[in-house]
Amino acid sequence: AKAPPPPPQPEAPGGPIHIKKLLVIPFQNMTGVYGENTTVQCRLCGNVFTTGKVEKGAEEMLGDHVASLLKHRKDLEFIPENQAEGVLSTILSGETVKLPERELMAKVGFSLDADAVLAGKVYRFSERDGTGFSAKSPASVAFELDLIRVSDGRVIWNGHFDETQKSLFENLFQWNTFWQRKGMWITAEQLATEGLNRIFETFPVQ
């Protein structure tokens, strides 16, 4: 069978992107869709991840932190998630379920008069086994966010994070990170928070 064409790459914004109304879709648990230890390519941006255990409440934790990072954005109106859930359920019950994912997200955004849709996916959110001083296995987190412009369905920004914490001896190039974490084995939530803070440094919306 002929391989499907690769997804369009996110556009590189030439400057700040001005969006008045933003719809933030709740994070989707991709391990729940594909199972653990599966290689998955995102249909929106083409990034490849390996799925793993996703702890209960991970989607809500990621969503809450995204909201905290966005709340200071000037003149940005957020559409409540409960409105999106109703519209998404209606659309998925019809023929449009066959649409490519980015077109489906754009259709949901259009139905709610949004300028853009921010959609998140979590592939792995595995808690450390042990304590901050001694861990049998470290925290491991993988997730991504895609910003889809409603007017044309284009992915105009992508932020992704994929890390399993390593000791300094396993990766000598992470010296600064090692000291920032005070030589501790951090939790999955702490690792995810670091990742979200890092990727939102490039978020283009003013």
Side-chain angles (χ1 to χ4, degrees):
K2 187 176 180 180
Q9 294 300 305
E11 292 183 2
I17 296 174
H18 299 284
I19 292 173
K20 292 182 179 179
K21 294 183 71 173
L22 178 65
L23 172 61
V24 180
I25 299 290
F27 272 80
Q28 183 179 6
N29 180 349
M30 302 308 291
T31 297
V33 177
Y34 295 101
E36 293 188 29
N37 301 315
T38 302
T39 300
V40 178
Q41 182 178 38
C42 174
R43 297 177 183 176
L44 291 173
C45 62
N47 293 324
V48 177
F49 300 89
T50 299
T51 61
K53 182 179 180 180
V54 174
E55 304 286 352
K56 184 178 180 180
E59 303 98 300
E60 291 78 8
M61 174 265 147
L62 289 166
D64 288 346
H65 196 67
V66 167
S68 71
L69 289 169
L70 290 174
K71 66 181 180 181
H72 68 282
R73 302 280 170 167
K74 297 179 180 179
D75 302 321
L76 186 60
E77 180 183 347
F78 294 97
I79 299 172
E81 286 184 4
N82 57 354
Q83 291 186 28
E85 290 172 356
V87 172
L88 186 58
S89 296
T90 301
I91 290 175
L92 288 175
S93 65
E95 290 297 318
T96 52
V97 71
K98 299 177 182 179
L99 287 174
E101 186 178 355
R102 61 189 180 89
E103 293 183 24
L104 180 62
M105 293 296 101
K107 188 174 182 65
V108 174
F110 179 80
S111 298
L112 292 169
D113 198 29
D115 299 306
V117 176
L118 185 64
K121 297 175 181 177
V122 55
Y123 296 86
R124 208 168 57 252
F125 197 99
S126 178
E127 191 55 89
R128 73 183 181 199
D129 180 7
T131 67
F133 297 100
S134 176
K136 295 179 182 178
S137 60
S140 182
V141 172
F143 60 85
E144 70 176 336
L145 285 158
D146 293 286
L147 184 66
I148 301 124
R149 185 166 55 205
V150 169
S151 60
D152 57 6
R154 290 285 302 183
V155 177
I156 54 177
W157 174 82
N158 167 265
H160 58 278
F161 180 78
D162 188 345
E163 184 179 339
T164 299
Q165 189 181 4
K166 293 181 174 61
S167 70
L168 179 62
F169 298 103
E170 290 177 288
N171 191 342
L172 292 173
F173 296 104
Q174 289 190 337
W175 182 269
N176 288 337
T177 301
F178 175 81
W179 285 112
Q180 288 170 2
R181 294 171 179 169
K182 301 178 180 179
M184 302 282 284
W185 294 102
I186 62 177
T187 65
E189 181 172 352
Q190 289 170 320
L191 186 59
T193 298
E194 281 188 13
L196 284 170
N197 291 342
R198 191 182 307 170
I199 67 175
F200 265 89
E201 290 177 0
T202 68
F203 192 66
V205 178
Q206 293 293 304

